[in-house]
Amino acid sequence: MNYVVVDRGDQLSKQLAARFHELAGANGMTRNEEAPELVISIGGDGTLLQAFHNYSDRIADVAFVGVHTGHLGFFADWKADELEELIRMMTESAPRIIRYPLAQIEIETSEGVSTHLVLNEFTIKGVDGTLVAQIDINDELFEMFRGDGIVVSTPSGSTAYNKSLGGAIIHPSLEALQIAEIASINNRVYRTLGSSAILPQHHHCDIISRKQQRLQLSFDHINMTSSDIRSIRCSVAGRKVSFARYRPFPFWTRVREAFLGYDVK
């Protein structure tokens, strides 16, 4: 089995990565950074986002496994002291492959269209002032937006930035996108829904710039700034991300432990 490890870069994560390589080698696994079958993320959810973008061009060929070194993450099934058990299960049993939907973001500028995949969310904000944009759903005007920005999240990203904006938590088995507003301004010219909207798989939304403005775009943890954005199309991607599960860890258990902290006896 070919694998690669992506670690957070701190001392503990580096130590765990070295230990993983030692255990994996002793159990017949092959380290292969060019063509891995498994991508092991050691750190936090940010580390797994980095791992996802490192291998997004091979998304159909890889599955991800998360080891968290701090607080419980939504993408990490394993703790720092469980590496031996993880390696044992990797070598003794086939994983259950769980597939989560991704968002596809198409950016149109004067130079053409670029396409990006996101695992958690896409965010657009104004750099020098408020964002002014027209929001179309399925090629029809939905609202005129003015405010700090807009977040378009996947179901797996609904527990992140989207939740802090009052958006709904969506189970990742549902193929959908969620649009949430960041501090919208409502007056006679600009009128917005004022709550998040959830679009099913076969729908799309367009964010159309309505003035000359510098915009900050964030694709998960990757940021870029541009003053040449004409429109942005957001839709559910045709591809999905795969996670290799060697033991059950239900989504709602993750939500409960992350936000409510109740222990189940």
Side-chain angles (χ1 to χ4, degrees), residues 37-238:
E37 299 166 74
L38 288 178
V39 178
I40 315 300
S41 165
I42 299 180
D45 282 348
T47 311
L48 196 138
L49 289 174
Q50 177 188 343
F52 166 77
H53 284 276
N54 285 354
Y55 289 94
S56 61
D57 60 333
R58 300 192 72 254
I59 201 66
D61 303 314
V62 300
F64 295 86
V65 178
V67 179
H68 62 86
T69 57
H71 298 293
L72 177 66
F74 273 91
F75 294 122
D77 294 355
W78 299 88
K79 300 177 183 178
D81 60 356
E82 295 179 318
L83 286 188
E84 287 81 0
E85 182 181 358
L86 172 58
I87 291 289
R88 180 183 62 79
M89 297 191 76
M90 281 182 168
T91 55
E92 293 181 359
S93 61
R96 180 185 179 194
I97 300 299
I98 305 297
R99 293 180 173 87
Y100 287 174
L102 302 169
Q104 178 172 294
I105 312 298
E106 299 171 83
I107 310 294
E108 181 184 353
T109 68
S110 61
E111 297 182 353
V113 177
S114 61
T115 302
H116 309 260
L117 291 178
V118 297
L119 176 55
N120 262 3
E121 73 257 326
F122 165 71
T123 305
I124 177 172
K125 296 180 179 180
V127 175
D128 304 308
T130 56
L131 166 68
V132 178
Q134 175 180 325
I135 309 298
D136 289 0
I137 294 180
N138 296 339
D139 304 315
E140 292 189 0
L141 171 65
F142 183 71
E143 66 181 23
M144 297 297 294
F145 178 89
R146 183 172 184 177
D148 285 355
I150 296 169
V151 175
V152 178
S153 64
T154 66
S156 54
S158 66
T159 57
Y161 200 172
N162 168 76
K163 182 180 180 297
S164 71
L165 297 171
I169 294 178
I170 302 177
H171 194 280
S173 64
L174 301 177
E175 298 186 29
L177 292 181
Q178 187 165 183
I179 308 168
E181 304 172 1
I182 308 173
S184 62
I185 299 171
N186 281 277
N187 53 35
R188 294 180 64 184
V189 179
Y190 299 98
R191 304 290 299 172
T192 66
L193 189 63
S195 65
S196 64
I198 299 170
L199 304 185
Q201 179 187 18
H202 58 288
H203 289 196
H204 64 267
C205 74
D206 294 313
I207 304 170
I208 304 166
S209 181
R210 280 306 180 200
K211 71 172 186 178
Q212 184 65 36
Q213 54 189 328
R214 282 201 304 154
L215 300 174
Q216 177 177 302
L217 310 180
S218 299
F219 310 91
D220 292 327
H221 66 298
I222 300 172
N223 301 313
M224 63 173 283
T225 301
S226 175
S227 56
D228 186 28
I229 303 295
R230 294 179 177 176
S231 67
I232 300 167
R233 173 157 294 190
C234 307
S235 58
V236 177

Side-chain angles (χ1 to χ4, degrees), residues 7-19 21 42:
D7 69 76
R8 184 163 54 188
D10 60 290
Q11 184 176 2
L12 174 58
S13 297
K14 288 181 177 180
Q15 290 174 348
L16 290 173
R19 178 59 176 160
H21 290 311
I42 299 180

